[in-house]
Amino acid sequence: MRNKDNTTPSPKQPLVTSSISRQNDDERIEIYPRSVRVRRPGGVGEAHQIPDRSGTTLQGFSSKSRRNLRFAAVNAFPALISQLGLTYHNEWPTDGRESKQHLDNFLRHLRRNYPWIKYLWMLEFQKRNAPHYHIFFTVPPDPGIHADLATAWCRITSPGDDEALRFHLHQKNWITWDMGNANYLAKYLDKEAQKSIPDGYYNFGRFWGNSRDLVPAPITVPTESLSALDQVDQDTGEIRAGEKLMIRWLGRLAEKQTNGLSRFRSRASSGSYTILNGAAGYKRIERFLAK
């Protein structure tokens, strides 16, 4: 959603107990709209970034790509709230570069005419082997924009095909969607057959992508600043380090969310680690420790 002055509202800020101006290679906790990342120098779990794979050939949907997709989808701000389908009618390219050029031309049209709309796209192959794109937007369906986008896609892929245009203009082709509950995303990640490149198809590359500003820069809290949250045991006088308490309690949250499968507590104390739905929990823990 946008404000009346056509600007995007800022996400709610967590309680930060000290300065957040630090060097990029410092140990720190990053708070995104829904996720929390502990970042330590040399650790894994770098911030979301689409890798440069120019000159390489992708033949599948890697586990790392799955993790990055999930992270981008749940941390989109504003949230992704609608879905548009883009497909082919009677003919389609088997060369992925040609299909991706169609997609790129469509996204250029979108960015040029509706610069306030952020998006995430996903590629699937239908049972008939036709490439099929799901485009998720940060705005609700709009009849006028829908007509323009459908016309643009058909002009790019199948000019003069009235049946293809009628299909893409159908009101059920751009629908409201709650990406926040991740139900569709889970189904997409599980549909392995539709993410295998069919025989005879080539150069399809990445299975997903997004607008550059879809995921906002995180709020950064240096881990050393958590010493302000140190607790003193009233019975023994022992000082319990705020950083260790935060990591321990976040670890419990991660284990609860994953039915005990998370390794956050064992990894985050020395490396980097992400809790996909940890931002709200971090804020609650921080407020509790700051009392």
Side-chain angles (χ1 to χ4, degrees), residues 48-87:
H48 164 64
Q49 181 177 352
I50 297 176
D52 178 10
R53 293 194 177 97
S54 57
T56 64
T57 299
L58 300 182
Q59 296 296 338
F61 193 29
S62 70
S63 58
K64 184 176 181 180
S65 184
R66 291 169 185 266
R67 291 194 300 270
N68 287 339
L69 168 57
R70 196 185 300 271
F71 182 85
V74 302
N75 286 290
F77 187 85
L80 298 165
I81 58 175
S82 66
Q83 176 190 177
L84 175 70
L86 301 177
T87 191

Side-chain angles (χ1 to χ4, degrees), residues 127-138:
K127 292 181 179 180
R128 59 192 181 121
N129 287 346
H132 178 81
Y133 296 100
H134 297 277
I135 316 291
F136 297 89
F137 295 126
T138 56

Side-chain angles (χ1 to χ4, degrees), residues 35-38 44-46 71 254 262 264 272-277:
S35 299
V36 165
R37 275 183 163 156
V38 174
V44 296
E46 295 300 305
F71 182 85
S262 173
F264 182 91
S272 299
Y273 204 85
T274 300
I275 300 181
L276 193 63
N277 292 294

Side-chain angles (χ1 to χ4, degrees), residues 204-270:
F204 268 88
R206 293 185 286 112
F207 279 81
W208 69 279
N210 59 265
S211 53
R212 291 183 180 181
D213 56 351
L214 181 68
V215 178
I219 297 167
T220 304
V221 180
T223 54
E224 66 178 24
S225 72
L226 296 177
S227 61
L229 303 177
D230 288 354
Q231 300 285 304
V232 178
D233 189 306
Q234 299 300 319
D235 296 325
T236 65
E238 176 186 3
I239 298 178
R240 294 178 292 178
E243 178 184 347
K244 291 184 177 179
L245 285 172
M246 178 64 73
I247 297 300
R248 184 182 305 130
W249 290 1
L250 281 175
R252 291 174 181 171
L253 172 64
E255 290 166 356
K256 182 177 180 181
Q257 291 180 354
T258 61
N259 295 319
L261 297 178
S262 173
R263 289 175 283 182
F264 182 91
R265 280 200 279 183
S266 61
R267 285 188 175 181
S269 59
S270 57

Side-chain angles (χ1 to χ4, degrees), residues 3 21 64 105 107-108 124 148 158 175 184 187 225 276-277 281:
N3 292 324
S21 177
K64 184 176 181 180
N105 291 342
L107 294 176
R108 287 175 184 270
E124 289 183 340
D148 180 59
S158 52
I175 59 175
Y184 175 79
K187 292 180 180 178
S225 72
L276 193 63
N277 292 294

